[in-house]
Amino acid sequence: MGAEFSSLDQLNRNECINRLVNEERIDENDPFWNQLLSFTINLPLTKASSKKLDESIALSCQKFHQNNPSSGNYSSLIRVFSRRANATRRMTDNKLMILHTTNALFIIRCITKYLIEIENELALLEQMNFRSDEANLELEKETESNFDNQNDYSTDSSTASPKRLYNPNKNYRMSKSKSNHESALLDSQENSFGNESDSDMPQNNDLVESNSKKHENILYMLIKNIIQLCIEVPVKSYTYNLHLEALNTLLILLSSQMYSKTPANESLIFDTFMQKMDRFVSDFVRVLLKNLIQQMPPPSNIHNLSSYLSNEEQNQRSFVSSVASGLWSVMTFGFGSAKTSTDQSNQEDESEKSFLSNLSNDSSNQNQDEQLDCSSRYLAWQSCHILLVLSNNCTNESLYNPYRLALFHFTDTQNTPTNLPNSEPLPWFSIDFSKLFQMFTRTVHTDQYSLLLYMLIHRNQHFKMFILSRLQIDSLIFLIIFFVIYVIILEKYFFKKVMPLLKVIFTAPERNSHHIYMTLIIILILSEDDIFNKTIHTITIKKLIWYTERSLSEISLGGLLILVLIRTIQFNMTRMRDKYLHTNCLAALANMSSKFQNLHPYVCQRINSLFNMLTRKRTKIITQINEENSKNDTEKNETASKDLLQDLSIIEELMKMVLEIINSCLTNSLHHNSDLVYSILYHKSIYLQFRDHPTFQDLTQNIDTVITRFSHEIESVEDKTIENLREIITMGAKQFSRERFRKFPELKFKYVEEDQPEDFFVPYVWSLVYKYSNLYWIDHTIDLFNSPNNNR
């Protein structure tokens, strides 16, 4: 046992590990656990190192899987973890206890991951519950004791909210609307504010009934203790590994969804998260969001937690585990040794405080183009993954998802909402929106944070109103534009000039990335607000050096946004041919069109070029239809003509939308857009050809009015220099009576989520976890990505 090892392969020959995985039942009070859990863990922080770990422990896990029905050591390990977790929550500065708890979680995570990948969920839970009769009796007593000793998880005054109490008999899967769920939930919270009384605790009958479902007991104990650790143990340098391992373990448990075709509402694991963690949800979601805001970098010695131990704790550790430390020292995964100074903890804490201080500074004092390498901020990264997984399952109105409710109803610590509509429930908790907003400006270049931002803007009305009211809205929109420009437009020209942190995104093989959809939908949702549409044209951007299609020394944010959306449509039509993408782009342009102001000449040119491109495509399709009709093969001609007619219908719909956008701009803000009038006059031939066309004549009527009026004024002028013509058009636009225009309904498009959002979002979220979570997954057994519902 005392030998040191030079490779991971020798782990399988270690006596401690062999004892854990063999048929011998190890009692929870056996000193063996102290010895086993005193190793120095070197967390695998990349997918490659995670794969190396999985391969090295595969034989041991296989043996554990075979022998656990006899030994019940899986359940014993979870119970050992639970005891140490309780102690860690009481003694948050005890670094030796933190080390033991972290290591216990790490072993549980490794075993659970192996079982999930080779078994189904029910088999996993059976493995958890293989125990002797006397051990099950102990579990029943401990479960009852845990219920009797629950703490009230009230937060400080700035984030305090009523706490929901656990009722194991309450069934939330009723046929009633989501608003009724929220109302019942929040009524319960309000009634239960304060300390939990004995009457609120599950009664003995409930415990007997609960204990009869033994699958739920040990699973409940594991999840509850992990969540409580996240809530009660502060994030410090010496607890960073503990929090990261806690989130990794939760993610592994939830990953059973990837390996099953069973919906989340029929999963016992998801049922435990959704139905039995009520009283922890508010604080847990708040902690996860706090992790996102802080974006705390990992401590420099993340690979050597023992460096934080004091001399006394080091001696204790040496006394109980000199052998185990030699055993686990092999698990370095190629990382160098860390410092062992006892002052390192203080140094790391000072680094953490400095980072948070910088993050809280006003965004005007920061480089707005600075973007985080989010995947290296491990704790925030996994917090985001956990939030996305939990909040995108059980979204049906008949189901209950407290994480989703908490995410959609938290408020700003700096501004308590007043005069809320009757349908708006009280907030679950509060977060500093300024810091949250600032975090998004530095992380929106990633799929995960774009999706989370989309969810908040779409469903959290408090945060949406905060975003729309911010003077710094340009920082967020500018980064979204920056991403869209480079990823789907300019990457083929300027790949080598792209910021290094964005190169990971640009290497994605698929061009119709879900990330692009999320960014465009965010713009569409924001464009539903008239104040936003007006404000973006008052923000000027100078020295736009990265937009090299055209030299733009100065342009409004609104003008730049129009350019990006138009260029996205053009790129999509030539390369991607995705009708939903350009429909979303045109819908956003339509929402903004009535507020177009002082458009840059180049923006006006691109608007007309878009319509010109569509007319040329229409002409080409008509020619192809005529050619097909002239061929002799009738059957093939009918099929080809049908496809071409469908393409023609789509193109004509797009043409009508562009004409509606131009109409909206002319009828609402002609006097602010003389450059658009000039550009229309220059390209008047592309509009006049549709003057008498039955499909387009109504929409071209106002454009024809503008062409006729201003053409007449220009023809009578002798000095036809560009400057003079622009001056004449500007004066004429100010004097032009809008009563001469034909009235059309106001253009307003509203984003509406699909009826079954889980069909899209669940596979999307898990694909992000699979690719970017720094965990290695065996992909050949994954069922989720192969579901017929996911080919969308």
Side-chain angles (χ1 to χ4, degrees):
M1 282 179 61
E4 294 192 7
F5 300 91
S6 58
S7 70
L8 289 172
D9 297 334
Q10 298 185 33
L11 283 172
N12 297 310
R13 298 197 297 269
N14 179 261
E15 186 174 339
C16 279
I17 292 181
N18 287 333
R19 184 180 177 190
L20 176 67
V21 303
N22 69 18
E23 296 181 351
E24 176 192 358
R25 177 182 179 269
I26 305 174
D27 187 80
E28 290 86 353
N29 299 314
D30 195 306
F32 164 83
W33 297 107
N34 287 334
Q35 185 179 35
L36 176 67
L37 300 179
S38 294
F39 61 86
T40 300
I41 188 171
N42 293 280
L43 290 178
L45 300 176
T46 65
K47 178 171 283 191
S49 58
S50 295
K51 180 180 180 181
K52 188 176 182 181
L53 169 67
D54 287 359
E55 292 172 347
S56 67
I57 64 175
L59 292 178
S60 296
C61 287
Q62 181 181 2
K63 188 174 181 181
F64 184 90
H65 178 217
Q66 295 170 349
N67 293 328
N68 183 63
S70 300
S71 69
N73 285 339
Y74 192 17
S75 176
S76 297
L77 176 61
I78 294 174
R79 285 167 52 79
V80 168
F81 157 73
S82 298
R83 292 179 180 180
R84 280 160 174 76
N86 287 329
T88 299
R89 298 202 313 270
R90 294 193 302 268
M91 301 177 288
T92 58
D93 291 330
N94 188 322
K95 298 178 180 63
L96 182 59
M97 187 59 66
I98 292 172
L99 176 67
H100 282 199
T101 308
T102 304
N103 293 344
L105 267 177
F106 177 76
I107 300 175
I108 291 172
R109 189 246 288 189
C110 292
I111 294 172
T112 304
K113 183 175 182 294
Y114 177 84
L115 294 175
I116 283 177
E117 290 176 338
I118 68 169
E119 294 273 20
N120 56 35
E121 181 185 88
L122 185 59
L124 168 70
L125 299 181
E126 287 177 348
Q127 288 282 341
M128 284 186 179
N129 287 277
F130 283 129
R131 297 183 54 77
S132 63
D133 293 337
E134 58 269 26
N136 280 325
L137 181 61
E138 291 178 14
L139 176 61
E140 179 177 335
K141 293 179 180 178
E142 182 169 329
T143 303
E144 184 172 359
S145 175
N146 283 340
F147 279 127
D148 292 336
N149 294 302
Q150 288 300 323
N151 296 323
D152 176 31
Y153 293 99
S154 300
T155 57
D156 56 65
S157 59
S158 64
T159 59
S161 65
K163 296 289 168 274
R164 181 179 180 80
L165 298 179
Y166 168 53
N167 183 348
N169 289 327
K170 189 164 185 177
N171 179 11
Y172 286 97
R173 295 177 183 171
M174 304 175 183
S175 299
K176 60 180 180 179
S177 67
K178 193 174 295 184
S179 61
N180 288 338
H181 282 314
E182 296 169 348
S183 177
L185 171 66
L186 293 162
D187 286 344
S188 174
Q189 285 183 319
E190 185 172 6
N191 293 335
S192 63
F193 184 77
N195 293 328
E196 297 176 357
S197 64
D198 292 338
S199 61
D200 295 321
M201 292 294 101
Q203 302 301 312
N204 289 336
N205 291 338
D206 297 331
L207 285 170
V208 172
E209 180 180 354
S210 176
N211 288 330
S212 68
K213 303 176 180 179
K214 66 176 183 177
H215 288 329
E216 298 180 4
N217 270 345
I218 194 73
L219 178 66
Y220 170 81
M221 176 190 296
L222 175 61
I223 296 175
K224 176 184 74 72
N225 277 288
I226 295 176
I227 290 179
Q228 285 182 288
L229 280 175
C230 294
I231 294 173
E232 296 184 47
V233 178
V235 179
K236 300 289 184 181
S237 302
Y238 55 87
T239 64
Y240 192 98
N241 282 15
L242 173 62
H243 280 270
L244 181 57
E245 219 25 71
L247 296 182
N248 282 339
T249 306
L250 292 179
L251 202 56
I252 292 297
L253 283 168
L254 293 167
S255 72
S256 62
Q257 186 177 37
M258 279 201 297
Y259 298 92
S260 171
K261 296 181 180 179
T262 303
N265 60 294
E266 297 178 12
S267 161
L268 288 176
I269 292 177
F270 272 87
D271 181 76
T272 303
F273 274 97
M274 299 297 172
Q275 306 292 336
K276 298 177 175 61
M277 298 295 144
D278 279 6
R279 63 184 180 277
F280 309 121
V281 167
S282 182
D283 284 325
F284 184 52
V285 173
R286 180 180 56 82
V287 165
L288 295 177
L289 288 172
K290 184 179 178 182
N291 290 341
L292 302 187
I293 291 173
Q294 290 180 340
Q295 290 290 324
M296 182 179 175
S300 59
N301 56 353
I302 186 173
H303 305 299
N304 187 4
L305 185 61
S306 64
S307 63
Y308 290 110
L309 299 180
S310 65
N311 292 334
E312 180 180 356
E313 290 169 326
Q314 288 278 15
N315 292 334
Q316 293 175 18
R317 173 174 172 266
S318 297
F319 179 75
V320 300
S321 60
S322 59
V323 176
S325 62
L327 158 69
W328 291 100
S329 65
V330 68
M331 300 183 62
T332 61
F333 300 102
F335 299 120
S337 60
K339 298 179 180 179
T340 58
S341 170
T342 56
D343 295 332
Q344 179 132 7
S345 175
N346 293 332
Q347 294 172 5
E348 295 288 357
D349 290 342
E350 290 302 318
S351 174
E352 175 189 340
K353 293 177 182 178
S354 175
F355 177 79
L356 295 178
S357 177
N358 291 334
L359 187 62
S360 65
N361 288 338
D362 187 83
S363 60
S364 61
N365 296 327
Q366 295 187 5
N367 180 4
Q368 294 298 336
D369 291 337
E370 180 185 358
Q371 298 173 352
L372 288 174
D373 180 8
C374 298
S375 62
S376 67
R377 305 300 174 98
Y378 306 112
L379 190 57
W381 198 232
Q382 298 301 59
S383 295
C384 188
H385 287 138
I386 292 289
L387 269 177
L388 292 177
V389 170
L390 288 174
S391 59
N392 280 287
N393 278 282
C394 301
T395 60
N396 190 283
E397 291 184 354
S398 62
L399 304 176
Y400 172 65
N401 186 332
Y403 306 91
R404 193 171 173 86
L405 294 174
L407 194 63
F408 293 164
H409 297 111
F410 70 86
T411 57
D412 189 5
T413 56
Q414 307 302 319
N415 183 23
T416 303
T418 57
N419 300 322
L420 294 176
N422 293 332
S423 60
E424 180 69 12
L426 294 173
W428 285 58
F429 59 90
S430 297
I431 285 287
D432 190 331
F433 279 3
S434 296
K435 293 180 179 179
L436 186 62
F437 172 83
Q438 188 179 339
M439 179 273 296
F440 278 122
T441 65
R442 303 178 64 196
T443 59
V444 75
H445 60 281
T446 65
D447 289 75
Q448 289 87 333
Y449 287 102
S450 289
L451 177 55
L452 184 60
L453 176 62
Y454 151 76
M455 294 176 64
L456 292 179
I457 291 179
H458 179 46
R459 301 300 296 270
N460 190 314
Q461 292 303 308
H462 308 298
F463 188 68
K464 179 181 179 181
M465 295 309 298
F466 173 85
I467 288 284
L468 293 172
S469 68
R470 293 293 287 174
L471 296 177
Q472 294 92 343
I473 186 68
D474 57 309
S475 60
L476 182 63
I477 300 302
F478 187 84
L479 284 172
I480 291 176
I481 292 174
F482 183 84
F483 165 76
V484 175
I485 275 284
Y486 274 116
V487 171
I488 64 176
I489 300 172
L490 303 180
E491 176 255 334
K492 59 179 179 179
Y493 301 114
F494 315 116
F495 182 82
K496 294 182 180 179
K497 298 181 180 179
V498 174
M499 295 176 63
L501 295 182
L502 295 179
K503 287 186 178 180
V504 175
I505 302 175
F506 305 151
T507 55
E510 64 276 9
R511 294 305 183 195
N512 57 339
S513 165
H514 296 325
H515 191 184
I516 299 173
Y517 279 100
M518 291 299 101
T519 56
L520 292 176
I521 290 173
I522 289 171
I523 293 175
L524 174 59
I525 294 174
L526 293 175
S527 72
E528 297 170 8
D529 184 81
D530 286 338
I531 297 177
F532 167 82
N533 296 332
K534 186 176 181 179
T535 301
I536 57 176
H537 289 285
T538 65
I539 299 172
T540 302
I541 299 173
K542 297 182 179 181
K543 298 180 179 180
L544 198 63
I545 58 176
W546 52 266
Y547 189 90
T548 55
E549 280 199 339
R550 171 72 177 262
S551 177
L552 297 173
S553 59
E554 183 176 309
I555 190 173
S556 69
L557 179 63
L560 180 61
L561 184 52
I562 295 169
L563 283 179
V564 171
L565 292 175
I566 290 176
R567 193 65 181 85
T568 304
I569 295 170
Q570 292 175 328
F571 180 86
N572 176 55
M573 296 194 68
T574 57
R575 296 279 296 277
M576 297 166 65
R577 300 177 63 82
D578 188 327
K579 65 178 183 179
Y580 294 106
L581 190 146
H582 56 238
T583 299
N584 284 332
C585 290
L586 286 172
L589 286 172
N591 286 343
M592 297 186 292
S593 59
S594 64
K595 303 298 179 182
F596 286 174
Q597 288 189 21
N598 303 317
L599 295 181
H600 191 282
Y602 181 62
V603 177
C604 301
Q605 175 188 330
R606 300 309 298 167
I607 293 174
N608 288 285
S609 296
L610 174 61
F611 186 75
N612 189 32
M613 182 194 73
L614 293 172
T615 59
R616 286 188 278 107
K617 279 193 168 292
R618 177 180 177 275
T619 301
K620 182 179 179 180
I621 292 175
I622 292 175
T623 302
Q624 291 175 334
I625 292 174
N626 293 333
E627 291 175 352
E628 291 294 333
N629 291 336
S630 64
K631 295 179 180 178
N632 296 327
D633 194 337
T634 306
E635 185 175 348
K636 290 184 178 180
N637 291 349
E638 289 180 357
T639 303
S641 296
K642 184 178 180 181
D643 294 337
L644 290 170
L645 287 172
Q646 185 177 4
D647 290 343
L648 179 62
S649 175
I650 293 174
I651 291 295
E652 289 187 343
E653 285 299 318
L654 296 178
M655 291 174 62
K656 290 167 68 175
M657 284 193 71
V658 175
L659 290 174
E660 289 174 341
I661 290 168
I662 296 174
N663 263 293
S664 176
C665 177
L666 293 176
T667 56
N668 289 282
S669 54
L670 173 66
H671 54 296
H672 289 306
N673 290 291
S674 57
D675 284 323
L676 179 60
V677 175
Y678 180 90
S679 185
I680 290 175
L681 293 175
Y682 187 82
H683 297 89
K684 63 182 179 181
S685 60
I686 64 175
Y687 299 103
L688 294 179
Q689 62 179 307
F690 298 104
R691 176 185 290 174
D692 299 321
H693 194 286
T695 304
F696 304 104
Q697 61 182 1
D698 289 344
L699 295 173
T700 59
Q701 181 177 333
N702 288 337
I703 298 175
D704 187 41
T705 300
V706 169
I707 292 174
T708 303
R709 163 66 186 274
F710 287 93
S711 294
H712 178 72
E713 291 188 7
I714 290 176
E715 288 173 359
S716 61
V717 176
E718 295 183 0
D719 182 9
K720 289 186 170 57
T721 61
I722 295 178
E723 292 75 12
N724 190 46
L725 293 179
R726 288 185 184 279
E727 184 178 350
I728 292 173
I729 292 173
T730 301
M731 293 297 297
K734 292 179 179 179
Q735 299 171 2
F736 190 89
S737 174
R738 287 186 292 178
E739 298 299 326
R740 301 177 60 179
F741 285 133
R742 177 176 177 176
K743 304 299 181 182
F744 289 95
E746 184 180 12
L747 285 180
K748 280 297 178 184
F749 291 87
K750 186 176 180 64
Y751 171 74
V752 178
E753 205 167 65
E754 293 187 8
D755 293 337
Q756 301 293 333
E758 287 185 43
D759 292 346
F760 170 80
F761 286 109
V762 170
Y764 176 35
V765 168
W766 278 115
S767 70
L768 297 179
V769 174
Y770 174 82
K771 293 177 183 178
Y772 305 119
S773 66
N774 299 318
L775 299 171
Y776 173 73
W777 311 90
I778 298 178
D779 54 5
H780 65 269
T781 57
I782 294 178
D783 293 325
L784 180 63
F785 302 150
N786 299 322
S787 172
N789 292 332
N790 303 331
N791 299 323
R792 298 164 65 100

